[in-house]
Amino acid sequence: QVRLVESGGGLVQAGGSLRLACAASGRTFSNRVMGWFRRAPGKEREFVAVTDWSGARTYYADSVKGRFTIFRDNTKNTVYLQMNSLKPEDTAVYYCAAGGLLSRPAAEDEYDYWGQGTQVTVST
């Protein structure tokens, strides 16, 4: 069993930055693909970013490419999402997930574990 707990969400003005963290506990974290997803109000959950076990390979949704960075610290069992140049359309609940496939990073059914989510609100 892996438990994931997100933190770092909040209210920020457009153009600002936030860093989300996802702390993992339980079974081995360091060899798992880790991803971030989000669900905006009235929309389905969507893929945001993914990293392989080492952090060397990362992929992003087109909507966040160049603004968001996913990285991990396996010594702390934590994966992060640095979000810069935030836009109102980035407003959503952000979830981290463990166990996906790099070949299908957006496939939610490939992830074994999910956190409860953290709210990010970007004001104009």
Side-chain angles (χ1 to χ4, degrees), residues 40-110:
K43 296 186 178 181
E44 293 188 354
R45 190 161 56 187
E46 64 176 2
F47 166 75
V48 175
V50 68
T51 178
D52 72 351
W53 69 272
S54 70
R57 288 185 295 170
T58 58
Y59 300 100
Y60 298 90
D62 288 343
S63 59
V64 307
K65 203 171 293 183
R67 300 187 298 122
F68 290 11
T69 302
I70 185 171
F71 60 101
R72 65 194 295 166
D73 184 342
N74 288 339
T75 66
K76 297 181 179 179
N77 287 349
T78 301
V79 63
Y80 302 91
L81 186 68
Q82 177 67 42
M83 306 186 294
N84 299 328
S85 301
L86 283 161
K87 305 174 181 180
E89 52 263 44
D90 294 317
T91 294
V93 177
Y94 283 71
Y95 301 88
C96 70
L101 292 177
L102 282 183
S103 58
R104 299 177 63 226
E108 295 187 24
D109 57 346
E110 296 290 351

Side-chain angles (χ1 to χ4, degrees), residues 3-65:
R3 182 168 179 256
L4 304 175
V5 179
E6 301 96 336
S7 62
L11 174 64
V12 64
Q13 286 189 329
S17 299
L18 281 176
R19 177 178 292 184
L20 306 183
C22 173
S25 60
R27 296 182 64 182
T28 304
F29 164 84
S30 60
N31 62 355
R32 290 181 179 269
V33 169
M34 298 295 296
W36 284 96
F37 289 74
R38 67 186 181 186
R39 189 196 305 272
K43 296 186 178 181
E44 293 188 354
R45 190 161 56 187
E46 64 176 2
F47 166 75
V48 175
V50 68
T51 178
D52 72 351
W53 69 272
S54 70
R57 288 185 295 170
T58 58
Y59 300 100
Y60 298 90
D62 288 343
S63 59
V64 307
K65 203 171 293 183

